[in-house]
């Protein structure tokens, strides 16, 4: 079995499921970040950008303290 490394700069992920014949493989994390940036995002520039360290759980905890859910 071959390694399907993400084509994003500095991304260590392998075994990526998504393949563009023009741009190469992309992992789930990078794909989600790309989708979040929107359709006007330059794919080549995105793939050449460094991968951001994303800690969704920490961000969620932080923002939930600012915007708490109402208690019943």
């Amino acid at each position: 079995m071959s390694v399907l490394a993400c084509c994003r700069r500095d991304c260590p992920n392998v075994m990526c499921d998504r393949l563009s014949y023009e741009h190469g493989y992309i992992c789930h994390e990078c794909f989600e970040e790309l989708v979040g940036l929107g359709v006007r995002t330059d794919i080549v520039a995105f793939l050449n950008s460094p991968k951001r360290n994303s800690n969704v759980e920490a961000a969620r905890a932080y923002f939930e303290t600012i915007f708490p859910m109402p208690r019943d």
Side-chain angles (χ1 to χ4, degrees):
M1 179 179 254
S2 63
V3 175
L4 310 174
C6 184
C7 291
R8 177 126 183 242
R9 187 176 103 197
D10 299 330
C11 181
N13 291 333
V14 295
M15 302 310 296
C16 302
D17 292 329
R18 295 180 179 273
L19 170 64
S20 162
Y21 290 107
E22 183 177 352
H23 302 289
Y25 286 99
I26 190 169
C27 70
H28 177 75
E29 294 171 13
C30 290
F31 180 76
E32 290 299 315
E33 185 180 337
L34 178 62
V35 168
L37 292 171
V39 298
R40 293 185 181 190
T41 303
D42 181 305
I43 296 171
V44 173
F46 173 79
L47 290 173
N48 287 320
S49 70
K51 185 170 181 178
R52 299 177 190 159
N53 291 328
S54 175
N55 190 340
V56 174
E57 291 178 22
R60 182 175 308 282
Y62 171 76
F63 287 118
E64 283 180 347
T65 62
I66 297 171
F67 298 100
M69 292 292 290
R71 298 180 188 244
D72 293 332

